[in-house]
């Protein structure tokens, strides 16, 4: 909460309007409110409390006590105006207590009811907007924003004479409730509960660990062979772990001595085992050598017994080697005899197919006859090939004649087409150049097309958002106007209703009769 401005009119010792600019006072961060007794220091704090809660602290709120200044002129109404910021909201509270004022008609005085008004500053429009004129609504709003009631505000913030000492002398439960509400100590209470829960859990875990440790101690004592002696402490006692460690150290020392003794015995047994293994290996090696010697002697005797058969086999092998050297010549002789017999049979078959006059002809005669027949056959074959070649040439000549006529017609068509080729070629060249230029421009424009499309989409989106923004602003302006009109209408109706109630009460008044 930050105070900006306080205006006091006909309140306490101030007969006229006094205005305090807290923004100018708090430029250095702090300011001091001081003065002699009766100067009005407490009245300034009372005015702040009255503006916030509609009442002042301490005994000054006792029944029959008036907040109106005795120095104020008759036509000046008692009023307190406080401008402050709570959170991010800037508010203006205006309060007037119930007070006597001169009657508008006739003489005497009439009691004017207490009035309250709450306004809110709108930074967008730069104007103050009315929120409420109800004492109850304003009180609930201020209590919710500050988080304190009037009594708490007076005890903690204003510190009036004697009240703070009473707060300090109150019991811890009362102070705890107040401070817990002011400073929201629920998270610290939750932390305290959580720590207590962790402590209980840790104690439970320690007890379980001690029980497991005692079980291990019993098992260790039983394994050590000392009759299951255990420590005297119980689970949860501080010296349990130390006692178990001491007992374990003693058991470890005894076990280590037994281990050393067993290690010495094991070393001696290993040396004896090594000597026995060495003797066993020497005996096995000697037995193996004796067995190999016996096998060698037996094989030598067997070879001596089979020596005559070996000599006879060697002699047979020598004879077979000599026979093997003349075997190829015998094979060639047999192959030549078989070829001679096959040639004689083929000659007989060939002569059986000859005429009777050539059956006994010699080789030279048959050879001369063969040459002559071959020459005749060659002449006949040449004549046959010449006849086939003549037919092929005739067919080829006819084909060439047809092709010559077709070529002549094609040459005439080509000459007619070539006559108009140059203009046609120039036109095609111009079209090719135009197509190449268009291709180059298309490639150049293709690189600029995507950015242009993105800019076009962005421009369309911008126009759309601009239209939506304008429409939203129009709707916002219309809504604000309707809200202001509705609020003014509500305030006007409420004030007219209050005036109507006052008029109804005034109409029912009778001289000498009490007011309803």
């Amino acid at each position: 909460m930050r105070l900006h401005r306080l205006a006091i009119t006909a309140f306490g010792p101030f007969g006229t309007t006094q205005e305090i600019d807290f923004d100018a006072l708090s430029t250095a961060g702090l300011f001091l409110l001081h003065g002699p007794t009766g100067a009005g220091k407490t009245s300034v704090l009372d005015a702040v409390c009255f503006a916030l809660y509609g009442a002042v602290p301490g005994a000054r709120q006792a029944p029959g006590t008036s907040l109106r200044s005795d120095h104020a002129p008759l036509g000046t109404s008692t009023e307190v105006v406080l401008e402050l910021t709570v959170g991010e909201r800037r508010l203006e509270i205006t309060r007037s207590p119930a007070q006597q004022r001169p009657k508008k008609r006739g003489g005497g005085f009439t009691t004017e009811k207490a009035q309250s008004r709450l306004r809110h500053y709108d930074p967008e429009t730069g104007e103050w907007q009315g929120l409420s004129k109800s004492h109850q609504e304003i009180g609930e709003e201020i209590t919710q924003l500050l988080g304190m009631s009037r009594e708490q505000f007076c005890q903690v913030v204003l510190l009036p004479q004697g009240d703070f000492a009473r707060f300090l002398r109150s019991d811890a439960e009362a102070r705890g409730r107040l401070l817990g509400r002011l400073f929201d100590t629920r998270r610290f209470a939750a932390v305290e509960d959580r720590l207590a829960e962790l402590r209980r859990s840790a104690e439970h875990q320690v007890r379980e660990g001690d029980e497991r440790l005692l079980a291990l101690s019993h098992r260790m004592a039983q394994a050590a062979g000392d009759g299951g002696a255990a420590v005297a402490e119980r689970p949860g006692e501080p010296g349990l772990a130390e006692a178990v460690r001491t007992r374990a150290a003693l058991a470890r020392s005894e076990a280590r001595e037994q281990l050393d003794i067993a290690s010495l015995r094991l070393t001696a047994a290993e040396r004896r085992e090594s000597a026995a293994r060495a003797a066993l290996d020497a005996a096995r090696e000697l037995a193996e050598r004796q067995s190999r010697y016996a096998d060698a002697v037996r094989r030598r005797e067997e070879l001596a017994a089979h020596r005559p058969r070996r000599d006879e086999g060697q002699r047979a092998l020598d004879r077979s080697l000599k026979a093997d050297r003349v075997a190829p010549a015998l094979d060639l002789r047999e192959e030549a005899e078989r070829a001679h017999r096959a040639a004689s049979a083929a000659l007989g078959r060939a002569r059986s197919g000859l005429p009777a006059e050539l059956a006994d002809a010699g080789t030279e005669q048959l050879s001369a006859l063969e040459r002559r027949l071959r020459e005749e056959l060659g002449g006949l074959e040449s004549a046959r090939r010449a006849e086939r070649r003549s037919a092929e040439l005739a067919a080829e000549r006819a084909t060439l004649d047809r092709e010559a006529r077709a070529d002549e017609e094609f040459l005439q068509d080509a000459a007619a087409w070539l006559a108009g080729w140059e203009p046609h070629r120039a036109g095609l060249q111009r079209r090719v150049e135009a197509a190449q230029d268009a291709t180059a421009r298309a490639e150049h424009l293709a690189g600029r097309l995507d950015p242009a499309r993105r800019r076009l989409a962005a421009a369309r989106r911008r126009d759309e958002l601009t239209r939506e923004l304008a429409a939203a602003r129009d709707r916002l302006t219309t809504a604000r106007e309707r809200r202001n009109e509705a609020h003014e209408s509500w305030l006007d109706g409420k004030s007219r209703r209050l005036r109507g109630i006052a008029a109804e009460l005034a109409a029912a008044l009778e001289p000498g009769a009490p007011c309803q």
Side-chain angles (χ1 to χ4, degrees), residues 110 161 249 259 306 384 513:
T110 183
Q161 294 90 340
L259 178 63
H306 291 84
R384 188 167 56 251

Side-chain angles (χ1 to χ4, degrees), residues 38-102:
K41 302 184 297 297
T42 305
S43 298
V44 173
L45 300 179
D46 290 345
V48 173
C49 183
F50 177 72
L52 291 174
Y53 296 99
V56 296
R60 292 181 297 278
Q61 188 61 27
T65 303
S66 175
L67 299 178
R68 179 173 174 80
S69 175
D70 296 333
H71 309 286
L74 292 178
T76 304
S77 300
T78 302
E79 184 181 66
V80 176
V81 180
L82 176 63
E83 184 179 339
L84 74 161
T85 297
V86 181
E88 297 181 355
R89 302 179 61 186
R90 186 157 183 164
L91 305 173
E92 183 188 73
I93 307 173
T94 303
R95 289 188 186 269
S96 298
Q99 53 189 309
Q100 296 286 331
R101 64 170 178 82

